[in-house]
Amino acid sequence: MKAEIIRKYGHEIVDWVADYLEGLEKFPVLPPVQPGEILAKLSLSPPQVSEGMERILEDFRSLIVPGMTHWQHPSFFAYFPANNSEPSVLAEFLTAAIGAQCMVWQTSPAATELEERVMDWLRQMLGLPEGFAGVIQDTASTSTLCALLCARERATAFGVNRFGLSGGSPGPLTVYASEEAHSSVEKGVKIAGLGKENLVLIPTGPDFAMLPGELEKAISRDLDRGAHACCVVATVGTTSSTAMDPLRPIGEICKRLGAWFHVDGAMAGTAAILPEMRNILDGIEHADSFVFNPHKWMFTNFDCSAYFVRDPKTLTSTFEILPEYLKTGVDLQVKNFRDWGVPLGRRFRALKLWFVIRQFGVEGIREKLRGHLELARDFASWVKDDPRFELMAPVTINLVCFRYNPTEKGLSEMELEKANKELLNRINNSGRCFLSHTKLKGRFSLRMCIGQTNTTREHVKKAWQMITNWI
Ligand SMILES: *Cc1c(COP(=O)(O)O)cnc(C)c1O
């Protein structure tokens, strides 16, 4: 009976998935729903007896799908992409079916060894130095937390692990990141017990990238007052504008002062797969750790964050535990990824990466990325050539920050913010495409990020037409 049910509904679901991915454009990108609207339609208490797949699937189609924001829609240009692809979706189905826990080698030998292999493929694809070892984490936030914890332990000779927060450090441990760094740095600093007050945000230049001279000044100031420079987080592709912190000079400062150097390339790191974009990682050999998310811009559905470290021993010494019930006879010969991060239980995420890389091929991935970069350059040129609009930041990869600002009207910052907010609302409420916004040095900007798997020139053109028609 069970196998029959899986076959019947499995086939039905596969058909639905194929139609969904192909016909996504029928859906509004943002659903026209009000807060609480869906909640009100959901049964207040759980069913006491089986309702049967028929009804569950019917409710999925009628209640859930219409209330989803369709991230895979080719006119999704908001935030950053979280793109997927067919090989990734199919692999995820298999992962769920196998349902393995991948915490130690013995609990899933193939999963452990495949993870080791595909992470080395990624290392080669990005041109990371030999010797960097990788592990898959759930998110970049977790990866950055791991980096901060390792930095803390290296700075205190593993004293905090042993003695608690008072252990091992004569002065406060300070952390540095640019004022444009992602909020996950602050969150990690708080969780790691380093204290938000010890996170120093370094000014950025006109291109929104960290100024290494300012970093050096801030660190010397703190050292003079007895602090210990624990960690510097550089961002390759900031969230607001994909600014590129210059890794080489920042890395050299870290090296000189003994600070842990973590590089956050959550979305933009993917661009380094293109040989012509490798320069964004120039100086990466100084890094102690590096993260990028295949679940953002590499066609691998969430979650899949690739975390690389130069010295796995620091990572495993920070997280290692060895209770009797987890000891196995091969512990000395194998990788036990439970010691490479926070959780014990781990999903088999390597499988979807393996499917994606093999189905696309590295050249296939490059072709997609080049397409996105070209579309972003084109969009930027349309903005630049239209006197009613202005670019708000350099276009480094696939994100264009821009706004409506007709010079002849001489609008104030407040009026500009109001006009651009209205424009954004009108576009997003139409359901035909979805953009987001940010503030750059206090100025309201629209963000157009091009990175969906099936976005074409037509989608980008349509978005621009909509924007220019509606001002
Ligand atoms: C998206 C993003 C993050 C957070 O990624 P998660 O995987 O959602 O935790 C961190 N840093 C940067 C630069 C990002 O763009």
Side-chain angles (χ1 to χ4, degrees), residues 80 139-141 182 184 235 237-239 264 266-267 293 295-296 302:
F80 279 157
T139 59
S141 303
H182 190 264
S184 56
T235 312
T238 57
T239 309
D264 175 4
M267 181 192 68
N293 285 345
H295 73 225
K296 271 189 169 155
F302 189 86

Side-chain angles (χ1 to χ4, degrees), residues 89-110:
V89 173
L90 294 173
E92 194 72 277
F93 190 24
L94 297 176
T95 292
I98 293 174
Q101 278 291 346
C102 309
M103 47 207 176
V104 300
W105 181 85
Q106 192 172 58
T107 62
S108 298

